[in-house]
């Protein structure tokens, strides 16, 4: 059995492209389409596997910054801390400094922060508070969207990849 994930992905892609695809020559279009979707997904994973944890750390750092600003907004409007958000930020920061944290830990922390910030908007006690939170989310979303578009470059949907900002967390190959 091959031990390296990268090698396993490459071998699987090669087998699908060189053996399975030709064997399906007379198959229905939807079968071929599904095979190509699987190959594209495996190709994307292969291209991004070595950078996954680094990307997810960078994404988490962005959500920590957003959550801290949202917590400050909450404090400003309500005069107290939003304890669940403060605790989630603390846990996320701990994950970032942990030498044993893995990519799924970063993803869980990111998801939790995203959920809590979204909940704050829904629980706003005034229009001003909701408007401030929405403006904050919109201001932060531009960079997050650019990062997501950079991450997905191997999928080939970006019309002008050179127009995207470069990030030090991503090696473009």
């Amino acid at each position: 059995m091959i031990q390296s994930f990268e090698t396993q992905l490459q071998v699987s892609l090669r087998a699908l492209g060189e053996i399975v695809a030709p064997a399906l020559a007379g198959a229905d279009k939807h079968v071929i389409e599904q095979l190509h979707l699987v190959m594209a997904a495996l190709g994307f994973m292969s291209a991004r596997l070595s950078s996954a944890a680094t990307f997810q750390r960078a994404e988490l750092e962005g959500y920590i910054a957003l959550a801290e600003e949202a917590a400050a907004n909450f404090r400003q409007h309500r005069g107290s801390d939003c304890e669940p958000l403060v605790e989630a930020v603390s846990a996320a920061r701990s994950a970032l400094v942990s030498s044993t944290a893995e990519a799924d830990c970063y993803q869980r922390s990111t998801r939790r922060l995203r959920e809590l910030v979204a909940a704050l908007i829904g629980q706003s006690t005034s229009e001003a508070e909701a408007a401030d939170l929405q403006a904050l989310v919109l201001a932060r979303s531009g960079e997050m969207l650019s990062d997501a578009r950079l991450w997905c470059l191997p999928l080939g949907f970006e019309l002008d990849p050179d127009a995207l900002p470069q990030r030090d967390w991503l090696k473009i190959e």
Side-chain angles (χ1 to χ4, degrees), residues 25 43 80 86-87 102 120 139:
S80 64
V86 170
E87 290 170 9
E102 296 187 14
L120 280 183

Side-chain angles (χ1 to χ4, degrees), residues 40-54:
L42 290 173
F44 176 75
M45 285 185 250
S46 178
R48 289 296 189 236
L49 184 60
S50 64
S51 306
T54 304

Side-chain angles (χ1 to χ4, degrees), residues 109-128:
S109 293
T110 298
R111 187 178 317 111
R112 179 75 175 136
L113 292 173
R114 188 173 44 240
E115 290 167 354
L116 288 169
V117 170
L120 280 183
I121 295 170
Q123 299 165 357
S124 296
T125 57
S126 69
E127 286 184 31

Side-chain angles (χ1 to χ4, degrees), residues 119-161:
L120 280 183
I121 295 170
Q123 299 165 357
S124 296
T125 57
S126 69
E127 286 184 31
E129 181 183 8
D132 286 350
L133 280 168
Q134 289 170 353
L136 171 63
V137 169
L138 287 173
R140 287 268 176 199
S141 294
E143 185 174 324
M144 292 177 180
L145 180 59
S146 290
D147 287 351
R149 290 171 61 195
L150 273 171
W151 181 249
C152 292
L153 275 178
L155 296 175
F157 297 118
E158 200 61 47
L159 294 177
D160 189 7

Side-chain angles (χ1 to χ4, degrees), residues 22-82:
L24 295 175
D28 291 339
K29 280 186 173 183
H30 74 280
V31 172
I32 303 297
E33 188 175 281
Q34 290 300 306
L35 173 66
H36 287 286
L37 288 172
V38 168
M39 291 175 63
L42 290 173
F44 176 75
M45 285 185 250
S46 178
R48 289 296 189 236
L49 184 60
S50 64
S51 306
T54 304
F55 169 74
Q56 288 157 349
R57 281 182 61 87
E59 183 180 46
L60 179 55
E61 288 169 348
Y63 274 96
I64 288 172
L66 170 63
E68 288 175 334
E69 289 182 46
N73 182 73
F74 186 92
R75 208 174 302 109
Q76 174 190 351
H77 283 278
R78 299 197 193 181
S80 64
D81 283 332
C82 176

